[in-house]
Amino acid sequence: MKIARAFTLIEMMVAVSIFAIAMLVGVGALLSLAAANKRAQAINAVMNNVNAAVEDMSRSMRTGSVYHCEIAIEPQYPPISATRNCAAAPAGIFLAFEPSGGDTTTESNQIVYRLNGTSIQRSTQGGAPGTWTAMTAPEVSIDAMTFYVVGAGREVSGVQIQPRILISIRGSAKIPGGTTNFTIQSAVTQRLLDVYQ
C-alpha cells in the first residue's frame, strides 16, 4: 500500500499568510504610486497655470512702453501715464504700461497688473473699476507679487536705456495630500526697435 504525501494544514496556513503579506505590500506600493502620480499631476496643473500667467505678462511687457511701477495699490503721483522706476526696496506691487501701438497721451488704454487678495489681476483699460480680470485659477493662492523696474524714462547721453523688469511671485496651492509652495521670477527686457542714424 502506497502512502500519498500532501501538505499539512500548518504548511497551507503559512503559504497563504506569506502570499497575503506579499499582496498587501504590492497593493500598498501601487496605491502609494497612484497617489504620488495624482499629486505630481496637480502640481503640474498649478505650475502650468502660474507659468501661463507669467508668460502672458512677460509677452505684453516686452513690447510695451512708458512703464510705471507703483509701490501702493492705488496709483499715486505721478499719474500712471508717466514713467516711474522701482529699482530697490520697497518693490512695486502695481505695474502699468502702454501696450504696443497704444496712445501714450491717455491712461484709459494702459495695461495694469496687480495682486488683489490672492489672485493676479489684469486691466486693459488703465485699471478703471470693473475692468479687472483674474489671471490665476482660484485654487492657486498668490501670497506676494513684486515688480522691479529700471530704465523707465531714463536717458544716458541722449540715448534711451532699454527698460528692464523683474517679476517675482510667491504663492501656494492646495493639492491632494497637502500644500505645495512655489516661487517664480521672470526677467523682461523691452524689445522695441530703435533705429539710430
Side-chain angles (χ1 to χ4, degrees), residues 47 50-51 54-55 58 144-148 165-170 182-188:
M47 294 315 297
V50 176
N51 285 334
V54 171
E55 180 60 30
S58 299
M145 179 174 71
T146 54
F147 300 97
Y148 294 92
I165 304 162
L166 176 68
I167 308 165
S168 181
I169 298 173
R170 182 173 40 85
F182 59 85
T183 301
I184 295 176
Q185 289 187 340
S186 181
V188 180

Side-chain angles (χ1 to χ4, degrees), residues 12 43 111 117 153 155 158 186:
M12 288 294 286
I43 291 172
I111 296 176
E155 291 187 3
S186 181

Side-chain angles (χ1 to χ4, degrees), residues 63-166:
T63 57
S65 61
V66 193
Y67 301 97
H68 179 91
C69 182
E70 187 64 58
I71 61 173
I73 196 63
E74 293 299 326
Q76 305 293 316
Y77 181 81
I80 64 173
S81 58
T83 59
R84 186 174 188 180
N85 289 314
C86 291
I93 57 173
F94 177 101
L95 181 70
F97 60 94
E98 194 65 42
S100 176
D103 181 5
T104 57
T105 62
T106 179
E107 294 180 9
S108 62
N109 68 336
Q110 287 193 318
I111 296 176
V112 185
Y113 293 107
R114 72 175 183 183
L115 178 64
N116 186 23
T118 59
S119 174
I120 297 174
Q121 292 186 333
R122 172 186 177 154
S123 170
T124 57
Q125 297 173 15
T131 64
W132 295 97
T133 56
M135 297 183 68
T136 50
E139 58 268 8
V140 177
S141 174
I142 306 297
D143 301 324
M145 179 174 71
T146 54
F147 300 97
Y148 294 92
V149 179
V150 294
R154 190 167 42 159
E155 291 187 3
V156 175
S157 301
V159 177
Q160 179 76 28
I161 293 177
Q162 198 169 22
R164 294 182 307 277
I165 304 162
L166 176 68

